[in-house]
Amino acid sequence: QNTSSVHHQPRRQQQEQQQQQQRQQQQQLHPREPQKNNNKYNTFYHMAAAVASTIDAEVASGGQEAPETIEKPTLGSGPSSGLDDREAVRWHGLLGVGRNWSPPKLAAATDATARPGYKDYDASEYLDTPEVSREKVKLLAEMWSKSRACVVYTGAGLSTAAGIGDYASKASGSVAPHRGSKGSTSNRLELKPTLGHHALAALESKGMIGNWIQQNHDRLAQKAGYPQAKLNEIHGAWGDNKNQVKMMDDSLREDLLEWLIRWSEEADMCVALGTTMCGMNADQVAMETSKRFMEGSGQGLVIVGLQRSFFDEQASLHFWGLCDNVLKAVAQELGIRRLPVPAVAQRGEAWTGTHPRCTYHTPKRSSRDPM
């Protein structure tokens, strides 16, 4: 008998238990208390919190001195365009430095917290001026053309134009689409994709999107004609018995998490649409692409939304606006003159016809499926 294997059996058992605990921690939808080790996925929430505390002018971990706060625009207008570098980064991203862009206008003010229970900001909403938005559209189109491994990362703000409510739109006078209308009276399983969904499906058809990490459960991506094979519904979906909608304390499906991790390691650009990125496990794709950009690689993180996020100072480019408006303009800049694109829309209609009431059961994925 090999005595060495006997002597080391308790140690192996302990290691296996530790590894199991780490796997369970990594799979959590929202790791509130990650283990303090060198695993970047377990420590991610703390990194995001450190970014947020910097933006909030608090003292970040490690004894770093807090930066000065920035001037907040008054309702309906913004300060003059003479922003210093720090303010330019906070309002427009790292590529906003030296461009003399005016800060966004405050469209709807509130002191209410966007996502109570998370490290988050108030739910005030901002809009870029038309002039700044046009310049950002041209810049994003150029970045998208250069990207060879683009990931889109979407939250509730992409689907509000379809009539689906969100948690974060709290301000009186909110410009979020679902707040300005009576909302949809349709069954949630029968809702139609938005202009933004159609734009993303069209961009994928041109080879400009490698993977879509979808936090929403609505399956509007497939209805717009986006291929299921390139869609990671990381938080579950309606009509899916193999990947049911996740609660905040649920574990993510292990194969989908591994797929996401692989893309977080490989993506050269992440376009985050309609998400405040308040500390979910899946936010790692935004963190990793922004880190690589600051190290001189890729196009980095692009944020499109109405509210502040953890990553405002980490983004390479930041749009303050509605997803539909920005994506339509970018698609046009990239040569897509009509939305929806008929051939792509037909794919969506075919998917809807063969998957009534959003019924589709996600098969097991590989970390290389597809890369």
Side-chain angles (χ1 to χ4, degrees), residues 15 75 84 115 119 142 158 213 241 252 258 270 310 312 330 332:
Q15 290 174 341
L75 190 63
D84 62 27
R115 295 293 295 267
K119 181 68 178 178
E142 180 181 344
L158 179 66
I213 298 172
N241 290 336
L252 301 175
E258 290 176 355
C270 173
F310 279 159
D312 292 353
V330 172
Q332 289 179 338

Side-chain angles (χ1 to χ4, degrees), residues 19-36:
Q19 291 172 357
Q20 178 66 19
Q21 290 174 350
Q22 289 176 1
R23 284 194 295 269
Q24 291 174 349
Q25 185 67 42
Q26 288 175 15
Q27 286 179 252
Q28 281 189 337
L29 177 63
H30 181 254
R32 292 175 180 270
E33 297 179 357
Q35 297 176 7
K36 295 182 179 180

